[in-house]
């Protein structure tokens, strides 16, 4: 939590000078085409989608900026678990670059929420920090209301694809006014199957939103 007082130190390699140094930036691997048009995963050959249509029912699409490997892995870990909140800016920048390349935007930017208990332990919601930076960067705002986690969900790590979807199904709700058909960018740190983002999108769609685009810094391939 002390990162605001310290000189910048690279989230990838701990070198002093910047929150993400030039050497680490150069080692970050952007996702390569062809990508699944729907969920943004890298495909071995050009196909329209990877078969995710049956799983991702509520998300219009999902886009991750980079692969979860190299310097991105320690940077995301420090950002999420070690209080390096200042990494929000360089990491959100990666998302912003991906959205710009694809010409994607939305009316509103909303973050995947933490359960209140986890938020209390951690002190901040890393996805909200990313969302805040993206709103500034893209001059977007958020609607009146709040996306909430209605029950704690055990971590997704180590679960197979089906279990991940079951684990988070119905775990989110929109508390606020109707979302009036507006398009939404839904932000999380790392995406794997997209199950969490899809469960959030389900709650937003139920509240009347337009298409929901899930975005994340990094993508883990399972
Ligand atoms: Zn570095
Ligand atoms: Zn797909």
């Amino acid at each position: 939590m002390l990162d605001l007082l310290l000189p910048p130190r690279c989230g990838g390699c701990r070198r002093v000078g910047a929150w993400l140094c030039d050497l680490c930036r150069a080692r970050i691997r952007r996702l390569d085409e062809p990508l699944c048009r729907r969920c943004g995963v890298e495909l071995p050959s050009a196909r329209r989608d990877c078969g995710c249509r049956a799983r991702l029912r509520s998300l219009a699409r999902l886009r991750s900026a980079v692969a979860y490997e190299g310097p991105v892995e320690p940077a995301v870990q420090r950002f999420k678990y070690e209080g390096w909140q200042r990494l929000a800016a360089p990491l959100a920048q990666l998302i912003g670059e991906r959205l710009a390349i694809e010409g994607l935007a939305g009316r509103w930017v909303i973050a995947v929420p933490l359960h209140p208990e986890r938020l209390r332990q951690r002190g901040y919601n890393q996805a909200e920090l990313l969302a805040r930076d993206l709103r500034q960067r893209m001059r977007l705002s958020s609607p009146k209301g709040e996306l909430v986690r209605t029950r704690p969900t055990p971590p997704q790590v180590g679960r197979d694809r089906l279990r991940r979807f079951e684990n988070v199904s119905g775990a989110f709700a929109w508390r606020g006014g109707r979302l009036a058909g507006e398009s939404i960018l839904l932000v999380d740190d790392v995406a794997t199957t997209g199950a969490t983002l899809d469960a959030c999108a389900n709650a937003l769609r139920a509240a009347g939103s337009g298409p929901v685009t899930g975005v994340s810094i990094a993508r883990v391939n399972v």
Side-chain angles (χ1 to χ4, degrees):
M1 299 306 155
L2 292 173
D3 72 349
L4 297 171
L5 306 174
L6 297 171
R9 185 178 279 274
C10 176
C13 69
R14 304 184 64 94
R15 200 186 313 266
V16 172
W19 291 106
L20 200 55
C21 78
D22 289 343
L23 287 172
C24 284
R25 275 178 203 273
R27 287 178 51 223
I28 291 174
R29 189 171 76 75
R30 268 72 178 171
L31 297 185
D32 291 325
E33 298 280 353
L35 303 177
C36 172
R37 288 296 95 206
R38 191 171 176 83
C39 77
V41 79
E42 290 175 309
L43 297 174
S45 63
R47 276 180 289 154
R48 260 197 75 73
D49 76 71
C50 70
C52 56
R53 187 170 288 272
R55 298 188 296 277
L56 300 178
R57 302 221 169 114
S58 304
L59 276 180
R61 63 179 84 77
L62 166 57
R63 289 295 178 272
S64 306
V66 301
Y68 191 60
E69 60 185 48
V72 170
E73 207 173 329
V76 167
Q77 293 290 314
R78 288 172 176 137
F79 175 52
K80 275 180 84 161
Y81 300 116
E82 296 176 30
W84 292 40
Q85 298 179 49
R86 296 284 285 275
L87 282 168
L91 295 175
Q93 186 185 349
L94 297 173
I95 299 175
E97 287 168 2
R98 166 63 62 179
L99 294 175
I101 287 169
E102 299 211 29
L104 294 172
R107 167 88 159 80
W108 284 322
V109 182
I110 295 177
V112 169
L114 290 179
H115 190 266
E117 182 63 20
R118 177 108 28 110
L119 182 59
R120 202 180 52 75
Q121 290 164 359
R122 191 172 297 175
Y124 61 98
N125 175 2
Q126 72 283 354
E128 180 55 41
L129 298 184
L130 294 171
R132 213 174 283 167
D133 188 278
L134 281 172
R135 282 182 204 116
Q136 285 177 1
R137 206 172 280 280
M138 302 174 77
R139 298 177 206 286
L140 298 172
S141 58
S142 52
K144 286 201 172 55
E146 195 183 5
L147 182 62
V148 295
R149 215 176 261 256
T150 54
R151 60 178 168 83
T153 53
Q156 296 280 62
V157 172
R159 285 162 197 271
D160 68 22
R161 191 184 266 170
L162 179 64
R163 296 285 174 280
R164 283 168 180 258
F165 278 84
E166 288 174 356
N167 188 31
V168 292
S169 174
F172 300 91
W174 175 254
R175 303 261 161 83
R178 299 282 297 169
L179 290 170
E182 299 284 5
S183 59
I184 291 172
L185 293 177
L186 178 63
V187 186
D188 205 356
D189 43 71
V190 175
T192 304
T193 58
T196 302
L197 286 159
D198 198 61
C200 288
N202 184 266
L204 297 172
R205 299 285 292 170
S209 86
V212 178
T213 298
V215 298
S216 73
I217 305 160
R219 187 60 172 264
V220 179
N221 256 328
V222 284

